[in-house]
Amino acid sequence: MKLKEQEIVEDMSKCNLGKRNNNHVVKPGSPVVNSKQSSGSDIQQISCSLSENIPTQFTDKWFDEKANIVSQCLRIYGLAVMNKFLGAELGNKILEEAKSLHDRQLMTDGRTVEVRAPDHGTRSTARFRSDIISWVGDSEPEYPGIGTMMRLIDGIMQRIQPKFMEYEIRDRTKAMVACYPGGGSQYVKHVDNPLKDGRLLTCIYYLNKDWDCEKHGGMLKIYPTNNKNVACIEPVMDRLIIFWSDRRNPHEVLPSHQPRYAVTTWYFDAAERKEAQRRKVEELTRSQQLSRNPASSQSVVADDSILTISQSEIDAVSGSSQSNAGSKLSNQSEVRSNAS
């Protein structure tokens, strides 16, 4: 069944799905490809102070209303959609910043990992997604609009945390600014976090003015595993969608026929992320041991997960160092103190 986007868009007094139609059936056996984000992103802590660099129109009431909608809809439906999230002024600023990244050719191809059968390993491939991306932090002076957006979503996450005590939401990625350049560019059905890498919530902010999916394509379709509905979300300007990042929400981006912009951040559950770090350390240690034995190394499955671990973290987890590795991950492609 098709779940109309109007039926899951925020209602400030309640979260109401209304009626559903039967004009779209999820086809069984659809391929699920496991998503991997570029290793160029860093982990950042959620902003603790929201008074700095936050426009005055975003009051405590605004944060409380948004947090209530998000928490209710996540509990009931596994996703929440909010229209007119930031307003035209800030939304246009973010769009200009995203376009500047594209125009200056600062975006690179997005990547995926296809998880295969245990005895066949994994393989990276570009055929599953055709967007281009760039990573932006919350305090980069060239991108103040994107930074403000991230801090505002941080404020919502702070407020929903007490409503989800089974999780500990402390960190998030930088913002992944993405462009589907048109020409049928798409992202096939996939799961953001199929391997328990720590990502808990996916937040996508759309930047596409006058978008019409019948003409332009680019529909986001989410297939919640807790029911037979399909959520069809048009990527229209100033819309934010938040959903669980794990196997509860396989999703896809249908072919786009003109440039389609979005900004995505992922929020982590601290316990799952710590466990993912531990597994990664064990795997790296095992790989190092097997690399000394070429005969054995042929049976190793190379893990290409979102996590990269620094040598200091390996030392800390393995007990060979007393230093505190902290919650930061080293960046594989850049010399920085954190990554995702």
Side-chain angles (χ1 to χ4, degrees):
M1 292 188 295
K2 179 179 177 181
L3 183 58
K4 288 184 178 180
E5 66 184 36
Q6 297 96 322
E7 296 170 343
I8 55 175
V9 171
E10 65 173 335
D11 175 337
M12 299 313 293
S13 61
K14 60 182 178 179
C15 196
N16 182 12
L17 285 185
K19 297 180 180 179
R20 296 169 171 79
N21 346 0
N22 298 315
N23 60 351
H24 188 93
V25 178
V26 182
K27 295 181 180 179
S30 301
V32 175
V33 177
N34 299 296
S35 168
K36 175 184 180 297
Q37 309 316 318
S38 166
S39 60
S41 70
D42 290 345
I43 302 300
Q44 298 187 315
Q45 289 187 338
I46 292 178
S47 301
C48 295
S49 174
L50 296 173
S51 59
E52 186 177 354
N53 300 323
I54 293 296
T56 56
Q57 68 265 32
F58 299 105
T59 62
D60 286 342
K61 180 181 179 182
W62 183 89
F63 282 108
D64 290 340
E65 288 177 340
K66 302 301 183 188
N68 285 337
I69 291 296
V70 171
S71 58
Q72 289 179 48
C73 289
L74 283 176
R75 284 288 189 200
I76 301 171
Y77 312 113
L79 67 153
V81 180
M82 291 179 282
N83 288 330
K84 299 180 180 179
F85 178 62
L86 299 177
E89 182 177 356
L90 183 52
N92 286 331
K93 187 175 187 63
I94 296 170
L95 176 58
E96 290 175 4
E97 293 170 5
K99 285 185 173 180
S100 75
L101 286 165
H102 187 200
D103 294 343
R104 290 183 291 156
Q105 298 183 346
L106 297 177
M107 292 181 162
T108 58
D109 291 339
R111 295 187 297 173
T112 61
V113 166
E114 181 187 14
V115 176
R116 307 168 73 192
D119 57 341
H120 290 87
T122 64
R123 61 185 173 92
S124 295
T125 174
R127 69 187 178 90
F128 297 112
R129 65 185 291 187
S130 44
D131 58 337
I132 52 176
I133 64 172
S134 185
W135 296 91
V136 175
D138 58 17
S139 58
E140 297 188 28
E142 286 187 90
Y143 311 105
I146 294 173
T148 298
M149 180 208 73
M150 296 170 75
R151 289 189 292 275
L152 290 169
I153 300 176
D154 284 352
I156 294 172
M157 293 298 160
Q158 288 178 358
R159 283 164 170 79
I160 72 169
Q161 170 65 88
K163 305 175 188 295
F164 295 92
M165 295 305 293
E166 63 268 41
Y167 304 112
E168 184 179 359
I169 307 172
R170 254 187 347 211
D171 300 329
R172 57 158 163 74
T173 64
K174 286 185 174 182
M176 187 187 77
V177 183
C179 174
Y180 290 81
S185 51
Q186 66 182 94
Y187 199 155
V188 303
K189 191 176 181 184
H190 66 281
V191 175
D192 283 354
N193 176 20
L195 301 177
K196 296 186 178 297
D197 62 33
R199 283 178 293 172
L200 178 68
L201 290 168
T202 300
C203 304
I204 308 175
Y205 181 66
Y206 289 118
L207 295 164
N208 308 291
K209 294 183 177 181
D210 303 318
W211 193 269
D212 182 348
C213 281
E214 291 188 4
K215 297 178 181 178
H216 307 137
M219 180 85 75
L220 172 70
K221 299 181 75 173
I222 303 178
Y223 304 84
T225 56
N226 63 349
N227 57 61
K228 295 182 179 180
N229 295 319
V230 179
C232 298
I233 311 297
E234 293 198 18
V236 298
M237 182 72 185
D238 202 22
R239 168 173 286 172
L240 179 74
I241 178 168
I242 300 176
F243 56 89
W244 300 115
S245 302
D246 58 16
R247 292 181 182 273
R248 283 174 280 189
N249 284 310
H251 54 285
E252 66 179 325
V253 177
L254 299 185
S256 298
H257 307 302
Q258 71 174 32
R260 174 191 187 276
Y261 291 94
V263 183
T264 303
T265 55
W266 287 269
Y267 286 81
F268 287 90
D269 172 48
E272 183 178 287
R273 183 159 171 264
K274 184 176 180 180
E275 174 61 18
Q277 288 176 298
R278 185 195 63 77
R279 293 197 310 269
K280 185 67 174 181
V281 169
E282 287 185 353
E283 179 199 318
L284 290 175
T285 303
R286 188 166 58 248
S287 297
Q288 289 171 359
Q289 292 171 347
L290 290 168
S291 67
R292 302 186 188 104
N293 185 352
S296 300
S297 64
Q298 295 177 1
S299 62
V300 176
V301 175
D303 180 22
D304 196 16
S305 71
I306 193 171
L307 296 174
T308 57
I309 306 295
S310 67
Q311 184 61 49
S312 62
E313 288 174 297
I314 294 174
D315 292 341
V317 175
S318 64
S320 60
S321 170
Q322 297 300 316
S323 63
N324 181 7
S327 64
K328 304 299 182 183
L329 301 183
S330 71
N331 187 309
Q332 196 173 40
S333 62
E334 299 175 274
V335 182
R336 294 186 181 179
S337 61
N338 49 36
S340 78

